Amino acid sequence: MQDAEVRTVHLPASATETIVGFELSPHDQYLSVHIMPNRETDASDGYPVNAQTRDATTLFVNVASGEVRRSVLGFDATWP
């Protein structure tokens, strides 16, 4: 990726929010950002494999504007 543009699309909303993962949509219009809203009050979902926080949230961020268009509880959102 020579001459690729590098820029910040989304930053944590607070000092306790943690970005856990992200995925770009097929047409590069949105970024799904998997967050842990508050690592200080995090509670595990108890799954024995690949445990996640009970408060896991996915934000859908417009890549061009950085605007959070939607948020949903959960993680591993997939693009249609």
Side-chain angles (χ1 to χ4, degrees), residues 10-11 16 22 27 33 35 37 41-42 45 49 55 64 66 76-77:
H10 178 76
L11 290 172
T16 59
F22 57 90
H27 297 292
V33 182
I35 65 166
T41 60
D42 175 46
D45 60 14
V49 177
D55 295 331
D76 284 344

Side-chain angles (χ1 to χ4, degrees), residues 4 12 18 21-23 26 38 41 46 53 55 58 63 67 73 75 79:
T18 302
F22 57 90
E23 182 179 351
N38 188 338
T41 60
T53 178
D55 295 331
T58 300
V63 172
E67 176 187 8
L73 287 176
F75 61 96
W79 302 105

Side-chain angles (χ1 to χ4, degrees), residues 18-35:
T18 302
I19 296 174
V20 180
F22 57 90
E23 182 179 351
L24 193 58
S25 68
H27 297 292
D28 302 338
Q29 183 178 3
Y30 292 99
L31 185 68
S32 66
V33 182
H34 173 199
I35 65 166

Side-chain angles (χ1 to χ4, degrees), residues 36-77:
M36 179 188 322
N38 188 338
R39 67 177 163 273
E40 293 178 355
T41 60
D42 175 46
S44 174
D45 60 14
Y47 281 76
V49 177
N50 196 23
Q52 299 288 324
T53 178
R54 287 183 183 204
D55 295 331
T57 302
T58 300
L59 307 175
F60 295 95
V61 181
N62 181 296
V63 172
S65 68
E67 176 187 8
V68 175
R69 297 299 308 250
R70 175 174 285 182
S71 67
V72 294
L73 287 176
F75 61 96
D76 284 344

